[in-house]
Structures are given as C-alpha cells and as structure tokens.
Amino acid sequence: MKMDYIIKALIPIIIVLIVVYGMLKGVKVYECFVDGAKDGLKICINIFPYLLAMILAVTIFRESRAMDYVIAFVKPAAQIIGFPPELVPLAIIKPLSGSGALGVFAEVLKKYGPDSNIGLIASIMMGSTETIFYTITVYYGAVKIKKIRHTLWAAIMADLTALIMATIMVNFITL
C-alpha cells in the first residue's frame, strides 16, 4: 500500500527535483520551460503536414482492402521460412501504425494466448520492430528532409531481421 503512494508521487517528485536543481544552478527555470514549449509547438507545426499525409495514406491503404491482398500474397512466403501465417497481419501493420498493431496484437493474444508460440513471437515482434513510416515521417519531417534515401530499406531489413529472429528464438526455446 505504501509503495502505491510512492509510485504515484514519483513523477511530481522528479519534477520538483529538476526545478530545485535548476534554481540552485541559477537557471531561469520558467523561461527555459516556456522557450522549450515554443520550440515544441514549432516542431509540431512543421511536422503536421507529413503526419497528416502518412495517416491519410495508411487509412486509405487499410480501408481500400489492399491490406488483404498484401496479406494473401505474403502468407505463402511466411510459411516457407516458418513464420506463423497468423502473424502476417501484425507484421504488415506494425510498420504502418502502432495503434493498429496494438489492436492486432491484442486479438492475437486473446485468440492464441500469450504463452503459445504465436503469442510469444507476436510479443517479441511488438518489442523489437518499429513503426517505420511514422518514425521516418516524424524525424525527417522535423528537420525537413524530403529524400529518405536508404533509410526506408534499412528499416525494412531491420524489421524483417527482427521477425525472423523472433521466430527462430521462440522455436529454439520451445524445442
């Protein structure tokens, strides 16, 4: 019961410590906070068009049912490498949408259980893959880079490596 109070008070305590430390060092804490908030707002305004375009593209892709065709196309290749075909939707949605992937992940855990091979692979996938398109949009949009060059392919290869390694590791552990 006491630990619950400590946990709830932890963030306010950290904030107070930061403010007090700044004051002791002679930093104008409030002015620095306001300047940081202004910079954050400028960044939000700068990346908004990129985020809107990415969200719109993902929504159109999902609502047009193109995702179903991609999943049907990828499933045979997934089976060849031993990747569970039940996780293909998660593998495709995760680079596009973190919240969409979380919904698919919850369905997988509900249907197959968290301790099943499929549940374990899905859990590792959620922790070791990235929402590639969102991340590229936010970071490159914030610094106004329009040509992503090799970033996308490197990120896709990293995600594929994570999917393959998740499958190998879970199958190795359950031998």
Side-chain angles (χ1 to χ4, degrees), residues 30-126:
Y30 182 73
E31 287 82 5
C32 289
F33 173 78
V34 171
D35 288 342
K38 284 179 186 176
D39 290 344
L41 187 59
K42 287 177 189 173
I43 290 172
C44 287
I45 290 169
N46 287 339
I47 66 172
F48 179 75
Y50 300 100
L51 282 174
L52 182 62
M54 190 268 314
I55 290 169
L56 185 63
V58 169
T59 303
I60 289 170
F61 183 66
R62 269 194 284 177
E63 295 301 319
S64 70
R65 300 288 183 217
M67 179 74 75
D68 297 336
Y69 295 115
V70 172
I71 290 169
F73 180 75
V74 172
K75 274 189 179 181
Q79 288 174 321
I80 290 171
I81 64 168
F83 186 75
E86 297 86 359
L87 296 179
V88 169
L90 180 61
I92 292 173
I93 290 174
K94 179 68 165 139
L96 301 172
S97 166
S99 58
L102 197 56
V104 173
F105 177 63
E107 289 175 22
V108 166
L109 292 185
K110 188 189 309 182
K111 186 171 183 179
Y112 299 101
D115 294 330
S116 66
N117 275 7
I118 291 173
L120 291 172
I121 293 171
S123 297
I124 294 172
M125 285 172 54
M126 288 298 289

Side-chain angles (χ1 to χ4, degrees), residues 133-155:
F133 295 98
Y134 175 80
T135 305
I136 289 174
T137 300
V138 170
Y139 292 115
Y140 280 70
V143 292
K144 297 183 174 134
I145 294 174
K146 293 182 180 171
K147 294 182 180 178
I148 59 174
R149 296 188 40 93
H150 305 296
T151 305
L152 179 61
W153 294 111

